[in-house]
Amino acid sequence: MARKLAAGNWKMNGTQASLTEATALAQAFPTSNVDILLCPPATLIAPMAAALKGSAVATGGQDCHSNVSGAHTGDISAEQLADAGATYVITGHSERRADHSETDADVRSKTQAAYDAGLMAIVCVGETLSQREAGEALKVVHSQLQSSLPADIDATKLVIAYEPVWAIGTGKVPTLDEIAEIHADMRATLKTRFGADADAISLLYGGSVKPSNAAEIFAVPDVDGALVGGASLKAADFSGIVAALQKA
Ligand code: PGA
């Protein structure tokens, strides 16, 4: 059985003052039967990890470089994230793929770097609106998933997030059947690669998840949690999503 995970992605939002949202979240869930994660901007990783130490809420990065160190101005390595207290990192988010032209090969090497640094990698895949409208969603996600996984990774260190690009920050969500179709195909693809270990890989849905739609999304087969943007910024909103996952 895959572990359940409620992951928040703050993107380029938040300052030191926002750390109170993280501590409020930790206070709301002193213990948890599901994993809870916040991925703040890089400037907040170390202080957030320190503030959440010993709590049920983990801290993660939103991206990492594929190298351990070197002349890469502005970039952060997986080792540096781990050193700052992160235990997870998101790789291949569609905003990285779009804004920074990241390819599946880039995502693959970043995910390898995450694994080498001992981090859990949350590898993101998802189709654009035009790909969905052309009936290519399944094909696109299938191919992205196969091409974004490195050769040397253990199923226990991997999380996959299906995030249709057109559903991110738009309030639009695929139908539950559409989510089920993609998640079933992802599980099958992972089984081909990892065998029975694939059952332990958490498959997240992401894109306009809110407290009001979380429960029905979590009831979809092979949905083990969510990657949440906007609704993870406030502890009050994210708590509703975590609570829905705890009941799922
Ligand atoms: P959203 O973002 O919840 O604001 O739609 C999801 C994501 O990009 O991870």
Side-chain angles (χ1 to χ4, degrees), residues 2 30 35 43 54 107 125 188:
D35 294 335
T43 49
V107 178
V125 292

Side-chain angles (χ1 to χ4, degrees), residues 9 11 93 163 167-169 207-208 227-230:
N9 172 12
K11 308 189 179 182
H93 190 282
E163 298 205 305
I168 295 176
S208 297
L227 181 55
V228 183

